[in-house]
Amino acid sequence: MAFGCAAIAQQIPLSQRMANTAIARWPQGHFAGPEETLQWNFELATLLNGMNATWYSTADGAYFRYIKESVDALVSSDGSIPTYDAAANTLDDIALGRQLLLLYRVTRDVRYLKAATLLRKQLSTQPRTASGGFWHTQMYPDQMWLDDLYMAEPFYAEYADVFQEPQDFANITQQFTLIEAHTWDPKSGLLAHAWDESRKQPWSDNTTGASRIFWADGMGWYMMALVDALRSYPQNDPGRAKLIAILNRTAQAVANVQDPQTGLWYQVMDKPNEKGNYPESSAACMFVYALEKGVRMGYLPPQYSANASRAWNGIKGRFVKTEVDGSITLTSTVKAIGLGDAPYRDGSYDSYVHASVGDNDPNAIGAFLLAATEMENAPEAGFDAHGQTVLVDAWFNSQKRKNAAGQEESFHYKWNDMSDSGNSLLGSIFASYGVALETLYDAPTTKNLEQAQYYVIASPDNPSKNPNPHYARPEDGEQIAAWVKSGGILVMLENDPPNADIEHFNNISDRFGIHFNTVLSHHVVGDDFAAGQIPVQPDGALFHHAHTLYMKDTCTISVFGHARALLTDRGTIVMATAKYGKGTVLAVVDPWLYNEYTDGRKHPPVHDNFAAGQEVVRWLIEQEKQQ
């Protein structure tokens, strides 16, 4: 029976097999002994970062629920964190802030923001070196460690982005540039594990203040911090280019010391042949994630995908073990390594290669999940969509709301809206192909559209949603049509008549032979989900796999001219398409790919809008490629 379970389990992608194993092994993120109290710690943060990536890659709500249950066990109802000690000024404690931001952004529950704000306040008072670098902790004055950057900066950057504090990016950039400048080795390009600006520590160089060892995990933490923090940077922030340059320098140095036989990296990176040195699993996972994500996001050139692929094969061949019950073990992970303290850790070669090594370390599992989701999506990113841009409309649907900090923010079918109303899951599908996500807040002129390959308009405002709607005008249709004719891909996602403007939106759609009808279809009352279910057969016109879509309260479509139906249900057209010049138009009767219908938290598993959305995005990219 156990063999049968293992065989079935191996049909599931490796990321999910590992995530499922972690959930079973560590309920509520409790990986310490059963007699030990749950603690606020960075190991859990890294594990949950990996779980978050798995959720966004699969839209399986079980992974989100695991994140929420794990954090809820540590955060009180008033937003306090009983096991967090702000006075310790430990940067490791900042790492879980990313999960607090995730939970706030998804659920809009203010207690998560209250907890996140506690961590943000620590950064405001964190002791600094004379040059402005955050101390590793109150106990270690004047010291910066490479791992600190992963603990603090991605959270710091996301908080600055979400809560409109762009001035913070200069400080975030300073943290990255400071430690690189003072730990960089001009011979190898590698970065030493730590830097003591005071040069008082016995482990620090008398001249540079840097430690002596190039620790694989240290560089792994630093590279992951770069790719994660960069995601929150404004495009026009001068620090963005600096961080991308650092990432490229670091990637080159890491690639230079990748073992040609195994594709892995040694614990002490520049001494592969030294006695006691060995390939280490968590660093390899970190490098795979940073390199592949760096390529996907356009920060690194495509050549580094080959480095990531060789390493991923090495990880699977050397460190991954499938147990008889189908669970997964990740072997050969170094445990905690530090400098100073008592008994004193002197930063010697021996201290790094003789540190404790074991299996199934939470940090390593988190890094493994991050690497696995990137590599499993890598074929999508390799579908030649790098350098392309998808714009989401914020003009015809220009709704705003107040966040928990009292700031006004755009929401409703937007990439950065992670709540039920957002399009962040759809954005993640585009991003898996390497497509950049942007938002158009102005009217869609040909000038405003010219840098984009795709333009998505969802549920244009009517007065019930926005007292001052920007109705689509004939001249808007003319501008958009000119852009489509030159090769643009237009996606029009309508809604039912009470919740969206249809009359004026036809000023755009009619130009392509597609007309949205002001009738109510697929009306759902309460939990009568069947009324909104739409079966899809794999006929190849758009879908190559069977699906059950869910669209609640829709309009319908009529087509004329060169437009044609792509999907019908109950005698009505649900999806239509038209070729127009070099471009393509896709029209749907509902904004069915927004988070509430895709993220797996609420709807029955029979609804697979996310999987269907993956096919739709691939189809859109195919249309662009066929020009």
Side-chain angles (χ1 to χ4, degrees), residues 24 31 81 86 135 333 354 372 406 428 436 462 474 478 480 486 499 601:
F31 46 77
I81 310 170
W135 288 9
T333 298
H354 290 130
S428 76
N462 65 14
E478 181 180 351
I480 293 172
S486 67
N499 286 296
R601 294 190 300 122

Side-chain angles (χ1 to χ4, degrees), residues 280-610:
E280 196 273 337
S281 62
S282 59
C285 293
M286 293 176 185
F287 290 138
V288 167
Y289 170 68
L291 291 170
E292 192 61 45
K293 183 174 181 179
V295 170
R296 176 171 64 83
M297 299 297 289
Y299 310 143
L300 292 173
Q303 69 197 51
Y304 288 109
S305 279
N307 298 90
S309 182
R310 288 198 301 273
W312 184 236
N313 288 333
I315 290 166
K316 292 186 292 184
R318 188 176 184 118
F319 300 132
V320 176
K321 182 171 69 173
T322 301
E323 308 295 351
V324 293
D325 63 354
S327 64
I328 305 294
T329 289
L330 184 67
T331 68
S332 306
T333 298
V334 66
K335 300 298 182 180
I337 285 183
L339 298 162
D341 211 349
Y344 194 81
R345 297 167 292 183
D346 62 2
S348 64
Y349 173 82
D350 283 348
S351 71
Y352 281 84
V353 298
H354 290 130
S356 177
V357 174
D359 298 343
N360 294 325
D361 177 83
N363 280 322
I365 300 301
F368 180 90
L369 292 174
L370 291 168
T373 52
E374 283 296 330
M375 294 309 297
E376 289 163 6
N377 283 327
E380 308 300 339
F383 195 55
D384 197 24
H386 289 92
Q388 296 183 8
T389 297
V390 54
L391 283 173
V392 71
D393 161 69
W395 178 254
F396 300 118
N397 185 309
S398 59
Q399 295 173 46
K400 294 181 186 273
R401 66 185 175 193
K402 292 287 183 69
N403 63 25
Q407 300 164 326
E408 194 172 72
E409 62 182 15
S410 294
F411 83 110
H412 220 190
Y413 313 117
K414 305 301 184 289
W415 304 138
N416 61 352
D417 179 1
M418 299 178 73
S419 66
D420 284 350
S421 61
N423 264 338
S424 59
L425 266 290
L426 175 58
S428 76
I429 300 173
F430 274 106
S432 73
Y433 290 88
V435 180
L437 311 178
E438 298 291 345
T439 302
L440 182 59
Y441 294 96
D442 299 316
T445 63
T446 52
K447 178 68 174 177
N448 289 337
L449 295 171
E450 65 181 2
Q451 299 304 316
Q453 285 69 44
Y454 313 92
Y455 180 39
V456 179
I457 309 173
S459 191
D461 294 336
N462 65 14
S464 74
K465 296 297 181 181
N466 186 338
N468 299 296
H470 296 132
Y471 288 135
R473 306 162 301 171
E475 50 265 43
D476 296 318
E478 181 180 351
Q479 294 284 303
I480 293 172
W483 172 77
V484 174
K485 189 174 184 179
S486 67
I489 310 296
L490 174 65
V491 181
M492 306 183 74
L493 306 175
E494 248 300 355
N495 211 331
D496 61 294
N499 286 296
D501 171 65
I502 294 179
E503 176 188 356
H504 300 90
F505 202 42
N506 282 323
N507 284 326
I508 300 173
S509 63
D510 282 353
R511 288 179 173 271
F512 309 108
I514 296 169
H515 187 83
F516 293 105
N517 303 310
T518 54
V519 298
L520 179 63
S521 184
H522 298 86
H523 182 47
V524 175
V525 178
D527 291 335
D528 179 24
F529 293 119
Q533 290 175 353
I534 301 173
V536 170
Q537 299 302 316
D539 61 10
L542 192 160
F543 298 105
H544 297 277
H545 303 279
H547 300 285
T548 298
L549 310 186
Y550 183 74
M551 298 186 189
K552 174 184 176 180
D553 293 2
T554 75
C555 63
T556 64
I557 287 174
S558 299
V559 296
F560 57 93
H562 295 294
R564 62 185 176 90
L566 272 178
L567 179 65
T568 61
D569 182 65
R570 305 169 212 179
T572 65
I573 298 175
V574 174
M575 295 185 181
T577 187
K579 289 290 185 182
Y580 189 80
K582 295 180 180 179
T584 304
V585 178
L586 174 67
V588 188
V589 296
D590 193 68
W592 62 293
L593 290 174
Y594 64 105
N595 296 342
E596 184 177 2
Y597 293 176
T598 56
D599 70 11
R601 294 190 300 122
K602 296 181 178 180
H603 277 259
V606 68
H607 301 159
D608 62 342
N609 284 18
F610 182 80

